[in-house]
Amino acid sequence: EIALTQSPGTLSLSPGDRATLSCRASQSVSSNYLAWYQHKPGQAPRLLIYGASKRATGIPDRFSGSGSGTDFTLTFSSLEPEDFAVYFCQQYGSSPWTFGQGTKVEIK
Amino acid sequence: EVQLLESGGGLVKPGGSLRLSCAASGFTFNYYAMSWVRQAPGKGLEWVSSIDNRGITTYYADSVKGRFTISRDNSNNTLFLQMNSLRAEDTALYYCAKDWRFFDYWGQGALVTVSS
């Protein structure tokens, strides 16, 4: 089973800041099958990125994903107020699919 | 607009059973695989089970294999999760999610609490 470790656990930032979240896999993720989600309390999680770098339908271009193998990154070019949430990664290259523990992006 | 609405959660004693349902709308349900993902209190997400679009092929996490059964009713656009022999560690918010590898839509979840 592939373990995903996200860092940092919490990121304190201001609107307009650039942010970089990391997701590291315990072994190589096949075909870069890595997704990122946004989750706000009481809401359904929202798919942001799949295939490591492909934006999901309707996701603004301030979100971008990159990486390959064992190291992946989610980048926000400029944080909007609605972006403060928990972000988690998921690999779907090797069964069972696994998730990272999440990074909370909070308002500084 | 895609909507997934879970129901059937609640409080159950260890060893008991519960059946979750997920009513889907806004997409052609019988075209897509569906999944269940859970989040225990204070823990990360855990994939639980998936089913193909026809309801023929199913997949389970080792932690629930033999105790949980996923199924679907394509005529009523509904996904199910039958949970038997429930344990305290099954306590979680259970999400219904569209597709089976990455999940492009999720419901808001149904809370299952296993406690005596």
Side-chain angles (χ1 to χ4, degrees), chain A residues 33 37 39 44 88 90 92 97, chain B residues 45 95 100-101 103 106-107:
Chain A
Y33 283 162
Y37 302 87
H39 194 193
F88 51 91
Q90 176 227 340
Y92 52 98
W97 317 148
Chain B
L45 290 156
Y95 293 101
W100 71 284
R101 291 200 300 178
F103 311 110
W106 302 56

Side-chain angles (χ1 to χ4, degrees), chain A residues 33 35 37 39 42-47 49-51 57 88 90-92 95-101, chain B residues 35 37 39 43-47 50 59-62 93 95 100-109:
Chain A
Y33 283 162
Y37 302 87
H39 194 193
Q43 296 186 18
R46 177 191 182 197
L47 174 68
I49 301 287
Y50 64 96
T57 303
F88 51 91
Q90 176 227 340
Q91 69 81 22
Y92 52 98
S95 181
W97 317 148
T98 49
F99 294 85
Q101 81 281 14
Chain B
S35 300
V37 178
Q39 185 170 30
K43 304 281 189 180
L45 290 156
E46 178 188 19
W47 167 78
S50 297
Y59 308 87
Y60 298 95
D62 286 346
L93 189 59
Y95 293 101
W100 71 284
R101 291 200 300 178
F102 61 89
F103 311 110
D104 55 353
Y105 292 95
W106 302 56
Q108 294 196 333

Side-chain angles (χ1 to χ4, degrees), chain B residues 46-115:
Chain B
E46 178 188 19
W47 167 78
V48 173
S49 182
S50 297
I51 187 168
D52 73 352
N53 65 310
R54 295 173 299 170
I56 294 174
T57 305
T58 57
Y59 308 87
Y60 298 95
D62 286 346
S63 58
V64 306
K65 201 173 293 183
R67 301 187 299 121
F68 289 13
T69 302
I70 190 172
S71 62
R72 63 192 295 162
D73 178 354
N74 283 350
S75 60
N76 287 300
N77 294 349
T78 305
L79 176 72
F80 302 101
L81 185 67
Q82 176 67 42
M83 303 183 292
N84 298 331
S85 303
L86 282 160
R87 306 166 179 167
E89 54 265 35
D90 295 318
T91 293
L93 189 59
Y94 284 75
Y95 293 101
C96 165
K98 176 173 166 283
D99 230 316
W100 71 284
R101 291 200 300 178
F102 61 89
F103 311 110
D104 55 353
Y105 292 95
W106 302 56
Q108 294 196 333
L111 183 62
V112 173
T113 303
V114 184
S115 174

Side-chain angles (χ1 to χ4, degrees), chain B residues 3-5 21-31 34 72-80 96:
Chain B
Q3 289 196 329
L4 299 170
L5 184 61
S21 300
C22 171
S25 61
F27 65 102
T28 306
F29 185 69
N30 63 5
Y31 280 15
M34 295 292 294
R72 63 192 295 162
D73 178 354
N74 283 350
S75 60
N76 287 300
N77 294 349
T78 305
L79 176 72
F80 302 101
C96 165

